[in-house]
Amino acid sequence: MSSTYGKLFKISTFGESHGVGVGVIIDGCPSGIDFDSSFIQSELDRRKPGQSRITTQRREADEFEVLSGIFEGKTTGTPISLIVRNGDQRSKDYTHIAQQFRPSHADYTYTAKYGNRDYRGGGRSSARETIARVAAGAIAKLVLKQHGVEIQSYVSQVGKLKLTTPYQQLNIADAEENAVRCPDQAMAQQMFDLIDETRKKGDSIGGVVNCVITGTPVGLGEPVFDKLHAELGKAMLSINAVKGFEYGSGFDGVEMYGSEHNDEMYVDENGKVRTKTNYSGGIQGGISNGEDIYFRVAFKPVATIMQDQESVDAEGNSVVVSGKGRHDPCVVPRAVPIVEAMAALVLVDFYLRNKAYSK
């Protein structure tokens, strides 16, 4: 099972939902980076369960421990190892699906591939694995911060409720002022009500997270197979429940003529090459052009719902699966920091590759 991501800034994650804990080993982090523990913890707090009644009610402190790679408050350049220990497991909630497959869940595919699976909370297929990504992404953010790169995400859609305001007209930081993480407070309330109504029905619903990256230097990305947008797409699609990724104009771009879609160029007062529009989403030819990078990530409804569904068991018998346990009725509020973390991991890896080229 591949649990490693990155080439120069490389992470390897480990742990299961109901095991001892979840952790990450980070190899390739530059030395001398200030290790801001409070910032890393705040990123984990944004992802942790039990934040409101529209998230899973599993109660976890999600406090991280440093096992290696940090000395006197700075990174040493050696592998950094972090772990978050599990506390509030209720494994008995999952015994009923030990031999049954939940529709649209990884239960069947894991069993078919490996011959068995950890059914407790989904084991390795659980979104609890993303704790490791957020912890590593927080460190990646600390590296990028030194170079003026900022990554912000927000919820733009839940079900059919869509926030269509361009990100340039939003104060994205306002997203942290509500449980849904939508920067428009009126729309956030509508989204909250829809998620809460869905929860009460024992159902789930999907949504979209938008991400904006500012301050990216020109030249990140490789021209053929490791295009920057391709790597961002891979990173986002590796997140649990993600079903779609589009950057820049995305699918809407097919409705435009080239004369409309092309980003005309000019040189600003500081002698910097800029574009008048940004349908390219800050990436051209797979390489960053210095403009804002923006993209959207679509999340499906959570597979485990509190309703009876027809399925099969490990013997091929027809069964009715009854939902139990504690699950998010909509993942997007807690997915916001995960999207940011994966974006940070992609960018810091490409930044280090560029740095290696320049030597």
Side-chain angles (χ1 to χ4, degrees):
M1 181 184 293
S2 176
S3 299
T4 299
Y5 180 78
K7 292 196 173 181
L8 295 185
F9 193 97
K10 184 179 295 186
I11 71 167
S12 295
T13 69
F14 61 89
E16 295 82 30
S17 177
H18 286 215
V20 173
V22 176
V24 61
I25 298 171
I26 305 163
D27 198 5
C29 181
S31 63
I33 303 297
D34 288 331
F35 190 77
D36 188 341
S37 296
S38 357
F39 173 71
I40 296 168
Q41 188 59 58
S42 70
E43 292 291 277
L44 290 171
D45 290 345
R46 294 171 69 208
R47 194 224 70 94
K48 75 179 181 181
Q51 295 181 41
S52 73
R53 70 172 183 263
I54 61 168
T55 64
T56 171
Q57 294 306 294
R58 180 170 174 167
R59 298 291 178 180
E60 295 282 359
D62 282 358
E63 295 177 350
F64 74 94
E65 302 172 36
V66 178
L67 303 182
S68 66
I70 307 300
F71 181 66
E72 295 183 341
K74 292 185 181 293
T75 59
T76 63
T78 58
I80 299 168
S81 180
L82 307 176
I83 188 170
V84 173
R85 299 184 187 276
N86 295 325
D88 186 25
Q89 306 104 313
R90 293 183 186 173
S91 299
K92 66 179 184 302
D93 287 346
Y94 298 90
T95 54
H96 69 292
I97 59 162
Q99 299 298 320
Q100 297 180 344
F101 305 133
R102 289 168 289 180
S104 288
H105 203 282
D107 295 341
Y108 170 69
T109 52
Y110 266 56
T111 303
K113 182 175 178 67
Y114 299 106
N116 61 11
R117 79 180 199 274
D118 183 350
Y119 60 83
R120 304 166 304 163
R124 187 70 176 153
S125 69
S126 168
R128 188 149 180 79
E129 176 270 338
T130 59
I131 292 172
R133 302 173 186 231
V134 172
I139 296 174
K141 280 188 174 183
L142 292 174
V143 178
L144 293 170
K145 183 180 179 181
Q146 294 189 340
H147 303 282
V149 179
E150 183 177 12
I151 303 172
Q152 292 182 296
S153 295
Y154 62 95
V155 173
S156 64
Q157 183 172 345
V158 172
K160 294 181 180 180
L161 294 174
K162 298 181 183 180
L163 176 63
T164 57
T165 308
Y167 74 85
Q168 299 92 334
Q169 299 174 25
L170 297 169
N171 181 4
I172 299 178
D174 288 346
E176 294 300 316
E177 299 300 316
N178 58 74
V180 180
R181 292 202 166 91
C182 172
D184 182 300
Q185 303 305 318
M187 178 58 76
Q189 186 60 55
Q190 292 182 55
M191 291 175 171
F192 183 96
D193 292 342
L194 175 57
I195 297 172
D196 200 27
E197 178 187 340
T198 301
R199 176 187 65 84
K200 291 175 182 176
K201 293 190 298 185
D203 215 332
S204 63
I205 196 163
V208 174
V209 173
N210 285 26
C211 185
V212 181
I213 306 172
T214 57
T216 307
V218 180
L220 298 189
E222 306 297 329
V224 185
F225 296 114
D226 284 357
K227 289 179 167 64
L228 180 54
H229 58 274
E231 203 62 33
L232 283 169
K234 174 184 176 180
M236 297 307 140
L237 289 164
S238 75
I239 300 171
N240 309 60
V242 170
K243 300 295 284 185
F245 169 83
E246 64 174 2
Y247 77 102
S249 61
F251 286 97
D252 289 340
V254 305
E255 301 177 4
M256 304 171 69
Y257 290 104
S259 55
E260 300 173 281
H261 192 272
N262 289 344
D263 296 317
E264 294 186 349
M265 306 171 75
Y266 70 100
V267 177
D268 68 14
E269 62 276 11
N270 298 315
K272 182 180 178 182
V273 175
R274 301 290 308 276
T275 61
K276 294 179 182 178
T277 54
N278 189 21
Y279 294 115
S280 299
I283 304 170
Q284 293 170 330
I287 300 171
S288 61
N289 66 0
E291 300 294 332
D292 292 351
I293 295 172
Y294 64 98
F295 57 86
R296 290 160 44 87
V297 186
F299 288 79
K300 70 171 184 175
V302 176
T304 305
I305 61 175
M306 301 299 107
Q307 297 182 12
D308 291 347
Q309 299 181 91
E310 293 183 2
S311 188
V312 298
D313 62 18
E315 302 299 323
N317 302 309
S318 296
V319 295
V320 174
V321 177
S322 302
K324 293 181 182 179
R326 298 163 294 177
H327 307 277
D328 291 274
C330 181
V331 298
V332 290
R334 293 175 59 215
V336 165
I338 303 168
V339 167
E340 292 179 4
M342 292 308 299
L345 291 169
V346 171
L347 261 66
V348 78
D349 195 48
F350 276 119
Y351 168 76
L352 292 175
R353 290 202 227 178
N354 267 23
K355 189 176 179 182
Y357 294 155
S358 65
K359 290 183 178 180

